[in-house]
């Protein structure tokens, strides 16, 4: 009898299609900056996390080439077994100095940093309180840890406190986890309120600075610096792949924490070290974000300008945001796909984000320091022609979560 054990895959795909949730990858040609080449056309790029335009910066490219020539392409094994290069430690010291922490540890991606850290610091006897809108890597790290997980409503300190009041004493350790800039909405976590609750209820706090590093804070250290909380005790994770234009992730915190993770985080211990090229590019990026605050200032001028222009169009509503991520809500997944197609036809690359990634479909716009005023005006022109019949306000959508 022929085996049909795999038939479910086709059926499952058909269901995904039916819900307008089916995803495909678009092929990009050449460098990705404020413009991208797609299908032989030039599009203005609002789909990139390369907030400062560093991924095509000559200095990062040269650093990657030099490191490859000096050390080769691969790092040949895990750091504990095969040893690491001084570059790896230099990068970790640079991250620690940016974040004003005692030490840092780099992982092969931000996703792995979150999986490894969360699952190393809590276990079955512990409690995780997790913002409902957290990144997938935090949610899966929580599952992997075996701890009891409670999701609290988005940024809701009152609800979080109620859970702590009722549950904290039933567990050994407690970890509160949150994105600092929420990756699909662009709003910020209430950091100092979270820190106060963590202190009062004897909890650890882990914040994911993936979309904040290089973007927020006077020195570009992120949301923790932005809210003036660098001196308070917490665990910071993030990525080297967004504003830093490279690849990899990191954890920054006390010496003891980092030492513990080197001994207990499987997604660091049992995986190959970051490549020399990625390590060198990230190290150069950190130097640039510290030495060239004008890039961050230009990014914020672009954000403010875009918000101002959209504000003048009364039929378009952006989700509240304090970052370079700006979202336009649409009533259905199909509407979001039509809008994304319309944008692409008009020379603009901005993705539709649909369930299950988010509860409400939207066009997600990422601004970069390297966008020109004219490019942002063109985006607003094209957006203004989108017909939106949404009856849902951003407030009620938030409440629904
Ligand atoms: C992108 C992202 C990650 C994952 O980082 P990678 O380095 O791309 O794996 C983790 N957390 C958040 C909030 C992110 O946006």
């Amino acid at each position: 009898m022929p085996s049909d054990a795999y038939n479910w895959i086709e059926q499952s795909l058909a269901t995904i299609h039916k819900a307008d949730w089916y995803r495909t990858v678009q092929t990009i040609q050449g460098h990705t900056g404020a413009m991208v080449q797609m299908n032989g056309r030039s599009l203005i790029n609002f789909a990139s996390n390369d907030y400062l335009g560093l991924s095509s910066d000559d200095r990062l490219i040269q650093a990657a080439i030099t490191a490859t020539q000096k050390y080769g392409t691969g790092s040949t094994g895990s750091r504990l077994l095969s040893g690491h290069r001084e570059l790896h430690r230099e990068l970790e010291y640079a991250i620690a100095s940016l974040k004003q922490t005692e030490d840092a540890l780099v992982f092969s991606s931000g996703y792995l940093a979150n999986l490894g850290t969360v699952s190393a610091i809590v276990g079955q006897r512990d409690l995780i309180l997790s913002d409902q809108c957290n990144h997938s890597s935090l949610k899966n790290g929580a599952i992997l840890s075996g701890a009891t997980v409670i999701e609290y409503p988005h940024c809701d300190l009152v609800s979080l406190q109620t859970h702590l009041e009722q549950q904290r004493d039933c567990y050994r350790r407690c970890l509160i986890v949150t994105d600092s800039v929420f990756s699909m909405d662009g709003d910020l976590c209430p950091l100092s309120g979270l820190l106060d609750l963590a202190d009062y209820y004897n909890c650890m706090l882990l914040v994911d600075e993936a979309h904040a590093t290089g973007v927020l804070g006077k020195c570009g250290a992120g949301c923790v610096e932005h809210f003036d909380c660098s001196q308070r005790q917490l665990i910071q994770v993030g990525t080297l792949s967004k504003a830093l234009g490279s690849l990899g992730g990191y954890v920054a915190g006390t010496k003891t924490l980092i030492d513990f993770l080197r001994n207990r985080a499987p997604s660091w211990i049992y995986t190959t070290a970051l490549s020399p090229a990625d390590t060198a590019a990230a190290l150069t990026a950190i130097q640039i974000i510290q030495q060239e605050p004008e890039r961050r200032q230009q990014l914020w001028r672009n954000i403010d300008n875009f918000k101002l222009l959209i504000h003048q169009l009364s039929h378009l509503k952006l989700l509240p945001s304090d970052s370079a991520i700006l979202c336009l809500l649409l009533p259905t997944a199909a509407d979001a796909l039509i809008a994304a197609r319309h944008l692409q036809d008009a020379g603009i690359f901005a993705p539709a984000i649909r369930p299950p990634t988010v509860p409400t479909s939207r066009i997600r716009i990422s601004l970069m320091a390297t966008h020109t005023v004219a490019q942002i005006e063109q985006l607003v022109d094209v957006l203004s022609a989108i017909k939106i019949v949404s009856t849902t306000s951003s407030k009620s959508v938030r409440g629904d979560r």
Side-chain angles (χ1 to χ4, degrees), residues 34-35 44-46 298 301-302 305-306 309 346-348 367-382:
M35 303 292 296
I44 312 174
N45 186 10
F46 293 103
Q298 185 56 46
R301 274 197 290 276
N302 285 348
N305 183 30
F306 175 71
L309 291 172
I348 284 167
L367 293 175
M368 296 167 60
T370 45
H371 285 129
T372 63
V373 172
Q375 287 170 334
I376 290 168
E377 285 172 356
Q378 191 177 333
L379 168 66
V380 174
D381 269 353
V382 178

Side-chain angles (χ1 to χ4, degrees), residues 314-394:
S314 53
H315 70 295
L316 293 184
K317 286 280 171 290
L318 291 174
L319 276 181
S321 161
D322 291 295
S323 68
I325 299 165
L326 296 130
C327 293
L328 203 64
L329 283 188
L330 290 154
T332 67
D335 287 321
L337 286 178
I338 293 166
R341 174 71 50 81
H342 170 80
L343 286 164
Q344 198 154 323
D345 289 345
I348 284 167
F349 182 32
I353 312 282
R354 291 163 286 162
T357 307
V358 288
T360 326
S361 295
R362 66 199 63 188
I363 294 292
R364 180 174 179 273
I365 294 151
S366 298
L367 293 175
M368 296 167 60
T370 45
H371 285 129
T372 63
V373 172
Q375 287 170 334
I376 290 168
E377 285 172 356
Q378 191 177 333
L379 168 66
V380 174
D381 269 353
V382 178
L383 287 174
S384 70
I386 295 178
K387 296 275 174 293
I388 293 170
V389 286
S390 174
T391 51
T392 346
S393 78
S394 56

Side-chain angles (χ1 to χ4, degrees), residues 109-111 114 135 137 179 183 208 210-211 239 241-242 248:
S109 76
Y111 207 107
N114 279 336
H135 189 260
S137 52
D179 285 16
S183 59
D208 182 342
H211 292 277
T239 179
S241 69
K242 289 174 176 146

Side-chain angles (χ1 to χ4, degrees), residues 103-400:
D103 205 350
L105 186 65
V106 293
F107 287 69
S108 302
S109 76
Y111 207 107
L112 289 171
N114 279 336
L115 289 186
T117 306
V118 173
S119 62
I121 61 179
V122 285
Q124 284 180 358
R125 294 157 63 196
D126 306 320
L127 174 66
I128 292 179
L129 288 156
S130 171
D131 189 291
Q132 205 169 19
C133 296
N134 277 346
H135 189 260
S136 154
S137 52
L138 291 173
K139 295 189 177 197
N140 281 323
I143 293 169
L144 189 63
S145 74
T148 301
V149 183
I150 298 176
E151 289 203 334
Y152 59 88
H154 185 47
C155 292
D156 187 340
L157 290 172
V158 175
S159 165
L160 175 59
Q161 179 161 18
T162 307
H163 285 302
L164 285 166
E165 196 62 49
Q166 292 169 352
Q167 306 282 332
R168 174 66 188 96
D169 287 346
C170 309
Y171 296 89
R172 179 183 60 171
R173 294 196 281 270
C174 177
L175 173 68
I176 303 169
V177 290
T178 184
D179 285 16
S180 69
V181 169
F182 285 87
S183 59
M184 291 299 141
D185 290 20
D187 55 343
L188 309 185
C189 73
L191 185 63
S192 66
L194 290 168
L195 278 163
D196 290 344
L197 287 178
D199 283 350
Y200 187 81
Y201 290 97
N202 187 29
C203 305
M204 300 178 283
L205 174 67
L206 180 148
V207 297
D208 182 342
E209 293 268 53
H211 292 277
T213 304
V215 173
L216 282 165
K218 195 155 163 287
C219 304
C223 205
V224 174
E225 184 192 19
H226 173 75
F227 285 125
D228 204 14
C229 294
S230 304
Q231 297 314 313
R232 301 187 63 174
Q233 191 164 342
L234 79 170
I235 299 167
Q236 303 180 52
V237 288
T239 179
L240 307 173
S241 69
K242 289 174 176 146
L244 300 180
S246 182
L247 180 69
Y250 62 81
V251 181
T254 61
K255 261 192 165 42
T256 335
L257 170 76
I258 299 306
D259 206 20
F260 176 79
L261 291 175
R262 272 193 293 259
N263 287 277
R264 278 286 184 273
S267 70
W268 184 83
I269 297 170
Y270 299 106
T271 197
T272 303
L274 215 55
S275 78
D278 291 323
T279 311
L283 180 58
T284 305
I286 289 183
Q287 289 155 358
I288 293 173
I289 69 166
Q290 287 172 309
Q291 287 159 10
E292 299 176 8
E294 59 272 21
R295 285 174 177 271
R296 203 155 39 254
Q297 287 152 12
Q298 185 56 46
L299 172 62
W300 280 98
R301 274 197 290 276
N302 285 348
I303 295 167
D304 292 340
N305 183 30
F306 175 71
K307 283 183 174 171
L308 189 73
L309 291 172
I310 288 287
H311 193 66
Q312 290 162 1
L313 304 168
S314 53
H315 70 295
L316 293 184
K317 286 280 171 290
L318 291 174
L319 276 181
S321 161
D322 291 295
S323 68
I325 299 165
L326 296 130
C327 293
L328 203 64
L329 283 188
L330 290 154
T332 67
D335 287 321
L337 286 178
I338 293 166
R341 174 71 50 81
H342 170 80
L343 286 164
Q344 198 154 323
D345 289 345
I348 284 167
F349 182 32
I353 312 282
R354 291 163 286 162
T357 307
V358 288
T360 326
S361 295
R362 66 199 63 188
I363 294 292
R364 180 174 179 273
I365 294 151
S366 298
L367 293 175
M368 296 167 60
T370 45
H371 285 129
T372 63
V373 172
Q375 287 170 334
I376 290 168
E377 285 172 356
Q378 191 177 333
L379 168 66
V380 174
D381 269 353
V382 178
L383 287 174
S384 70
I386 295 178
K387 296 275 174 293
I388 293 170
V389 286
S390 174
T391 51
T392 346
S393 78
S394 56
K395 266 244 146 29
S396 68
V397 167
R398 260 151 203 283
D400 287 347

